[in-house]
Amino acid sequence: MKKTLFVLCLLSTTAAFAQRGASISNQPQSYQFFTQPAHAAYAPMSREQNVLAATSYTSAQGERRASDFAQAESVSLGAAARELRKQHAQLKKSRVVWVNQ
């Protein structure tokens, strides 16, 4: 039985490769790749080019201190834990508890 199955698989594989081989052409295939024109090119320091549509660009130098910006009040870890515990106590509890054993 095993020998018959092996011979059947061997013949099927041979037939499949024979069909595949008939469709292969010996003519070379040339592929045409479409390219996009490159926006950036190697050149010595040319003028800057704006690639965004009708927008203006503003730049400044220097840094601003962190104290110039409004700082949010930080909440202590204990206060955050108490608030979470309070929210957890207000949630609805399940009436039925399923235990899979």
Side-chain angles (χ1 to χ4, degrees):
M1 181 67 182
K2 288 183 182 180
K3 289 182 183 179
T4 307
L5 185 61
F6 177 73
V7 170
L8 182 65
C9 288
L10 185 65
L11 289 175
S12 300
T13 306
T14 306
F17 278 114
Q19 289 178 359
R20 169 78 170 105
S23 67
I24 296 176
S25 172
N26 63 353
Q27 298 296 323
Q29 295 179 355
S30 63
Y31 294 101
Q32 182 179 5
F33 295 102
F34 297 102
T35 60
Q36 300 293 330
H39 182 76
Y42 290 106
M45 294 299 282
S46 62
R47 289 186 16 227
E48 74 175 33
Q49 298 175 3
N50 189 5
V51 294
L52 301 175
T55 59
S56 63
Y57 175 75
T58 306
S59 68
Q61 292 181 345
E63 295 180 3
R64 292 180 66 183
R65 297 183 307 269
S67 61
D68 290 347
F69 301 99
Q71 300 293 323
E73 279 292 322
S74 61
V75 179
S76 70
L77 186 59
R82 282 188 289 278
E83 181 65 31
L84 285 174
R85 187 178 302 137
K86 194 183 303 181
Q87 289 175 2
H88 182 69
Q90 293 171 352
L91 293 176
K92 259 188 167 177
K93 302 293 187 236
S94 176
R95 294 185 202 159
V96 179
V97 177
W98 294 97
V99 179
N100 293 332
Q101 293 181 359

